[in-house]
Amino acid sequence: MAKIIALFLIVTAICGGLIYSVALSQGLDLLDPQFRMIGLLGLVTTLYAGLRISWFLNKVVFPERDEEGHLAVKKRSAFERWGRSSTLDARMDARRARVAAARERQSKEDDQAG
């Protein structure tokens, strides 16, 4: 948790500095009362970008590790890994078997009747 907060603060400070410097280079002082709305939008953008970038860094660049230094593997369901569920696959296989059995019965009945 401390790592996420530290990343958020650092990245937010960098994003805020970049946004403020770009605004200054365009002739806008975001602290001027005349540009208060643009300054608030810049603040919201800074907070959002800081949150998203720190989340990305936490997940991708600095992943969790176990006691031995190996990457901590989180057990995920088949649905998360492959976009499918093993229970769904089992139900579909059972349905296919029922349909095949019904077709076979129907063909036997048709042979006996005709």
Side-chain angles (χ1 to χ4, degrees), residues 70-90:
H70 299 100
L71 287 177
V73 178
K74 294 181 181 177
K75 186 167 179 139
R76 297 185 304 173
S77 69
F79 182 78
E80 289 176 310
R81 284 193 303 269
W82 304 105
R84 299 185 67 160
S85 172
S86 58
T87 58
L88 176 63
D89 291 338

Side-chain angles (χ1 to χ4, degrees), residues 16-99:
L18 286 173
I19 290 174
Y20 191 72
S21 64
V22 168
L24 279 179
S25 71
Q26 297 299 316
L28 298 174
D29 183 13
L30 297 181
L31 300 177
D32 188 9
Q34 182 181 0
F35 301 112
R36 186 172 295 152
M37 182 58 81
I38 296 172
L40 289 174
L41 290 174
L43 178 64
V44 169
T45 303
T46 299
L47 292 173
Y48 179 74
L51 183 67
R52 294 297 300 219
I53 293 170
S54 62
W55 177 82
F56 173 79
L57 290 175
N58 188 44
K59 293 283 183 188
V60 177
V61 178
F62 305 116
E64 295 180 16
R65 298 188 180 272
D66 60 7
E67 302 85 34
E68 298 169 358
H70 299 100
L71 287 177
V73 178
K74 294 181 181 177
K75 186 167 179 139
R76 297 185 304 173
S77 69
F79 182 78
E80 289 176 310
R81 284 193 303 269
W82 304 105
R84 299 185 67 160
S85 172
S86 58
T87 58
L88 176 63
D89 291 338
R91 289 193 329 238
M92 288 302 293
D93 290 340
R95 183 181 184 282
R96 286 187 191 107
R98 287 193 310 269
V99 168

